[in-house]
Amino acid sequence: MHYGQAIFEGMKAYHVDDETIHLFRPKDHHQRLNNSAHRLCMPEVDEEVFIEGLEKLIALDHQWVPKVHGHALYVRPFMFASEEYLAAKVSKEYHFYVITSPVAAYYSEGFNPVKLTTSEKFVRAVRGGTGEAKAAGNYAASFLPAQKAQSKGYTQVIWLDALENRYIEEVGTMNIFFLIDDKLVTPKLSGSVLPGITRRSVIAIAKKWGVEVEERRVAIDEIIESYKEGKLQEVFGSGTAAVISPVGLIHHNDETIQLDQEKIGPFAKKMFATITGIQYGKIDDSFGWTHPISLG
Ligand SMILES: Cc1ncc(COP(=O)(O)O)c(C=O)c1O
C-alpha cells in the first residue's frame, strides 16, 4: 500500500442471449495486466488462471449481467502488494482479485460530448515512467488536475507530453482520435500513453473500412491549426467505459476549439455502432475479438 505496487484492468461482459455472454478481448486485457505487472515488479498472472477464472466467475454471476442492450457487467481484475513489511522493497506477497458490477448504458440519454482542457501545470506521465502501465498511482496523480479542470467547467484534462508540453497523449480514461481531412489521426504509443484495447479496435476497424490511419506525434498546435483551416472534422475518445466518446470542446491556453456540442459525428457514430454491435453479438465478429461464455 505504501509503495504503490497496485495495478488493475477494466473490461465488460455483454449479454448476447440466454445461453451466451461475451467478454471483449480478454486476452488483450490479460496481456496488458502482465505488462503492467512487469513494470511494477509484480508477478504475472497465468493466462489460464485469468481466462478460466473469468469464465467461471461470469458463468456463476450470469444473472448480474444486464439484459438491456447497452448495459453490461463491468469486470475489474486487480492486484496489489500485501506483504507485512515496512521497508521500501518489492513485496513478496500479492493479492489478485476480480470484482464485477452491473453498469448502465453510458449514453442512455443520447451522446454527451465532453469538454477538455490542457493543463498548464500538471502532467500525467513521462516517457520511462509508469504511464503505459495501468498502475493505480497514475490515477491518483491525475485526480487533482482533473478536479481543477472540472471546477472550471471541463469534463477532463487532455494530457500533453511531459517533456515539451506540446504533443497530445490521452484523456482521463480514454485514448483520443482526430478525423482530419478524412484521415484518422491518433497519438502514437509513446511509452507514456496507456495502450487502450478500444484504441486498438478503432484502428483495426478504420483500416478495414479503408480509412487512412496515422499513429504519430500530434501537436496541440496542429489540431488548433487544422480546426482554423476547417480540416478538423471530428474528435472522439475511446475506452471501455463509453466505447466512443465525442469531444465537443478543447481548450488550450487562449484558444478554444468548438466542435458540434449537440451530437456525435458520423464517423464516431458508425464506429460506436460497429464496436458495440460486435460486443453484443449483433454484428459478425470477423476479428475474433469476442470471447463467448456459454451458459448451457
Ligand atoms: C488512462 C487510460 N487511457 C486509456 C484508456 C482506454 O483503454 P481501454 O480502451 O483498454 O479501456 C483507459 C481505460 O482503461 C485509461 O484508464
Side-chain angles (χ1 to χ4, degrees), residues 141-291:
S142 73
F143 289 158
L144 179 66
Q147 266 184 355
K148 288 191 184 293
Q150 281 151 16
S151 71
K152 291 181 191 155
Y154 300 103
T155 325
Q156 263 299 348
V157 174
I158 175 166
W159 297 110
L160 301 181
D161 78 280
L163 299 176
E164 296 179 59
N165 210 35
R166 183 168 172 217
Y167 296 101
I168 296 169
E169 301 231 299
E170 60 185 308
V171 177
T173 56
M174 297 189 298
N175 297 106
I176 188 149
F177 287 88
F178 303 91
L179 192 68
I180 306 172
D181 247 351
D182 292 328
K183 265 185 232 157
L184 191 61
V185 179
T186 191
K188 69 173 185 183
L189 299 176
S190 58
S192 48
V193 173
L194 190 84
I197 312 296
T198 321
R199 174 187 183 277
R200 207 176 293 168
S201 309
V202 168
I203 292 171
I205 290 169
K207 284 186 176 165
K208 197 177 167 198
W209 289 346
V211 174
E212 201 176 319
V213 181
E214 293 179 358
E215 291 181 71
R216 59 171 172 82
R217 298 221 288 187
V218 187
I220 182 78
D221 304 332
E222 176 196 337
I223 297 304
I224 294 168
E225 207 55 40
S226 61
Y227 169 69
K228 287 182 177 165
E229 289 169 0
K231 293 180 182 164
L232 184 63
Q233 296 155 289
E234 290 185 34
V235 184
F236 61 89
S238 70
T240 297
V243 184
I244 297 294
S245 180
V247 174
L249 184 147
I250 302 175
H251 173 261
H252 173 64
N253 296 338
D254 300 329
E255 307 270 8
T256 301
I257 294 178
Q258 186 97 36
L259 294 134
D260 197 334
Q261 292 282 306
E262 297 307 316
K263 60 175 173 55
I264 182 169
F267 185 92
K269 192 173 183 180
K270 189 173 156 200
M271 188 58 77
F272 177 81
T274 306
I275 297 180
T276 52
I278 293 172
Q279 288 168 335
Y280 287 93
K282 308 238 186 261
I283 294 180
D284 184 42
D285 174 17
S286 59
F287 297 99
W289 290 336
T290 48
H291 185 93

Side-chain angles (χ1 to χ4, degrees), residues 82-114:
S82 56
E83 189 186 352
E84 293 170 15
Y85 195 84
L86 210 52
K89 67 164 193 72
V90 174
S91 175
K92 286 193 187 124
E93 285 169 24
Y94 297 87
H95 283 244
F96 173 66
Y97 294 96
V98 183
I99 54 175
T100 64
S101 171
V103 284
Y106 210 83
Y107 295 118
S108 48
E109 290 158 20
F111 289 101
N112 200 7
V114 292

